[in-house]
Amino acid sequence: MKKILILNGPNLNLLGTREPGIYGSQSMEECLTTLRASFPEVTIDYYQSNCEGKLIDRIQQTIHDNSAGIVFNAGAYTHTSIALLDAIRSIEIPVVEVHLSNVHHREDFRHKSIISSACKGVIAGFGMKSYHLGVLALL
Ligand code: CA2
């Protein structure tokens, strides 16, 4: 069975608890339940960390765990992290960058993504459906 990793960066553990106006009111657990029901033919792994190094470790782990692709919301590290850019470049499987919010409707500092150039494509602005579209894009 095809295995896809949903990878979330800093503060995304708070989904469903704060800032519903920007990020919606659904928790990530609810989103994963919907995703797994929508794609029964896919094994959907999930990992979240607030630490840049742990995200890099998890990206590198996909080299050994037979993952077919990553749907990656790097949170605010999207706009700052050359280390995550290098990690994405170091693996061969496709990575789809996703964002819940439309970052281009927001502050200027969110308009620039450091990681996009290493990703297969970018999906932003569709709330939790961004993850669904990310999995579809990989498939
Ligand atoms: O829109 C997105 O998905 C972002 O990646 C979310 C990041 C933000 O820094 C990016 O510019 C765009 C922030 C994630 C914070 O997540 C929270 C979730 C619920 C409550 C508070 C924060």
Side-chain angles (χ1 to χ4, degrees):
M1 198 187 276
K2 204 165 241 181
K3 186 153 78 169
I4 286 175
L5 172 65
I6 310 288
L7 184 59
N8 269 352
N11 296 308
L12 288 159
N13 54 311
L14 298 176
L15 281 172
T17 67
R18 291 198 172 77
E19 301 200 57
I22 303 176
Y23 301 117
S25 51
Q26 211 183 19
S27 71
M28 201 58 208
E29 273 316 310
E30 288 166 334
C31 174
L32 288 168
T33 301
T34 306
L35 276 182
R36 288 178 178 131
S38 304
F39 301 102
E41 75 281 19
V42 180
T43 299
I44 299 201
D45 283 348
Y46 177 65
Y47 183 77
Q48 187 276 332
S49 180
N50 294 324
C51 304
E52 194 174 25
K54 287 187 178 172
L55 293 167
I56 292 165
D57 287 343
R58 188 63 189 86
I59 289 168
Q60 290 181 5
Q61 199 182 311
T62 63
I63 296 170
H64 311 288
D65 76 0
N66 201 31
S67 294
I70 305 176
V71 175
F72 189 19
N73 187 346
Y77 286 144
T78 303
H79 317 296
T80 63
S81 180
I82 295 169
L84 283 171
L85 170 69
D86 289 343
I88 296 167
R89 283 202 182 137
S90 76
I91 59 171
E92 286 180 2
I93 58 172
V95 177
V96 175
E97 176 183 344
V98 301
H99 300 285
L100 294 148
S101 62
N102 181 344
V103 283
H104 302 287
H105 278 171
R106 301 183 65 192
E107 304 97 321
D108 286 355
F109 61 82
R110 295 187 205 275
H111 297 180
K112 171 77 187 162
S113 167
I114 301 277
I115 65 171
S116 292
S117 65
C119 294
K120 193 82 184 161
V122 183
I123 296 164
F126 299 100
M128 288 297 199
K129 289 214 166 71
S130 291
Y131 292 95
H132 185 104
L133 294 168
V135 173
L136 268 183
L138 285 174
L139 292 177

